[in-house]
Amino acid sequence: MPSIRDFTAEDDLLGFFGPDSISWRIHADPAFSVGGIRALLLQALHPVAMDGVARFSTAFSTDPWARLTRTAEYVATLTFGTRRDALRAVRRVRGMHRGNTAVEETTGRSYAVDDPDLLLWVHCCEVDSLLSVARRAGVPLTDADADRYVAEQVTAAVLIGCEAADVPASGAELDAYLERTRPRLAVTSAAREASLFVLVPPMPGWVQLLTPARPAWSTLAALSAATLPQWARRLYGLPGYGLTDTAATAAVRAFRRAALTVPAQVRESPIVRAARERVASAEPLTA
């Protein structure tokens, strides 16, 4: 894992991707929220990876909202933070993974949570979901942009512990990886429980009655499930017909159009706004 001593001050300020990256374009877009939830649903289909979450991440049962928030903040920090901030976040996550081992009952596999192939599955689900939803939502991305995004995200995979040679670096390689992995996927009891949490998360009664949280989340969750690949929807027992894909694309486009009417200072996360301000303030110094 790299050290902050390996980078110049300018490298640190721009972060691992920078404002000209496709990663900034995709991760700052409103479609990111739909893609993020889709990634969670897709990741849960790997029995061993899901077993690790169920065993070692008690937040799913004790504080699920905190888990979702931490995951979103990690991705945002890695994308928009300084390299120093990103490496700090990576060390924290790798420390949480370290030493957690178990045996997954349905496959009989002994595993460690930080096994590179499990980290790779989580990474590829995230990249595929964020890219797929962004394109369907209308984010302007060419095929070359899509390949560049997948290649950029190799950095994120290696930082978390994947083997660089195994990480897909183009759209075609990503599709091939998912196709190779499909025979090992299944909806275990842990996956069913996790998907239920994602689709219908527990909320305090006052939140459901006095705020728009429930309908807002229901909309996001429904869009996310509908944008899953047909084969994944079939595994979950969700509709898997072509018409669903057409309707989902129209719906996610409408969601993005509506979200873009909200001012950026309200719509974007503090991490994204801070990154834009940081880079803008440094432009005269680096020009």
Side-chain angles (χ1 to χ4, degrees), residues 159-261:
L159 284 173
I160 202 60
C162 297
E163 299 291 340
D166 297 334
V167 184
S170 69
E173 290 181 6
L174 180 60
D175 290 343
Y177 167 82
L178 293 172
E179 189 64 27
R180 289 196 307 272
T181 310
R182 275 180 60 183
R184 301 198 293 274
L185 305 181
V187 178
T188 61
S189 59
R192 185 73 65 189
E193 183 177 345
S195 66
L196 183 62
F197 153 72
V198 170
L199 296 172
V200 191
M203 293 182 182
W206 70 268
V207 173
Q208 298 191 56
L209 294 174
L210 302 179
T211 76
R214 174 65 73 188
W217 183 267
S218 296
T219 298
L220 282 175
L223 280 176
S224 303
T227 57
L228 283 166
Q230 289 189 31
W231 56 263
R233 296 200 304 270
R234 290 192 182 102
L235 281 175
Y236 276 120
L238 301 170
Y241 303 104
L243 180 62
T244 302
D245 289 329
T246 302
T249 298
V252 77
R253 281 178 177 265
F255 166 81
R256 179 174 183 265
R257 285 196 299 269
L260 286 173
T261 65

Side-chain angles (χ1 to χ4, degrees), residues 85-240:
D85 291 337
L87 290 175
R88 188 179 299 116
V90 169
R91 290 191 193 97
R92 183 168 58 250
V93 172
R94 293 185 72 159
M96 292 169 60
H97 290 169
R98 194 173 298 116
N100 292 327
T101 61
V103 177
E104 199 281 314
E105 293 181 0
T106 66
T107 62
R109 172 178 163 178
S110 299
Y111 69 92
V113 169
D114 54 2
D115 282 346
D117 68 306
L118 301 182
L119 298 173
L120 181 61
W121 167 252
V122 172
H123 168 80
C124 288
C125 288
E126 179 183 300
V127 172
D128 179 73
S129 293
L130 296 176
L131 176 59
S132 172
V133 170
R135 301 193 81 176
R136 293 174 70 174
V139 179
L141 296 166
T142 65
D143 289 345
D145 289 335
D147 282 340
R148 182 178 159 196
Y149 173 67
V150 178
E152 287 175 359
Q153 287 298 304
V154 172
T155 296
V158 172
L159 284 173
I160 202 60
C162 297
E163 299 291 340
D166 297 334
V167 184
S170 69
E173 290 181 6
L174 180 60
D175 290 343
Y177 167 82
L178 293 172
E179 189 64 27
R180 289 196 307 272
T181 310
R182 275 180 60 183
R184 301 198 293 274
L185 305 181
V187 178
T188 61
S189 59
R192 185 73 65 189
E193 183 177 345
S195 66
L196 183 62
F197 153 72
V198 170
L199 296 172
V200 191
M203 293 182 182
W206 70 268
V207 173
Q208 298 191 56
L209 294 174
L210 302 179
T211 76
R214 174 65 73 188
W217 183 267
S218 296
T219 298
L220 282 175
L223 280 176
S224 303
T227 57
L228 283 166
Q230 289 189 31
W231 56 263
R233 296 200 304 270
R234 290 192 182 102
L235 281 175
Y236 276 120
L238 301 170

Side-chain angles (χ1 to χ4, degrees), residues 2-21:
S3 163
I4 192 62
R5 293 187 297 273
D6 300 329
F7 313 122
T8 66
E10 183 177 346
D11 287 338
D12 182 39
L13 182 146
L14 293 176
F16 280 105
F17 301 99
D20 296 327
S21 67

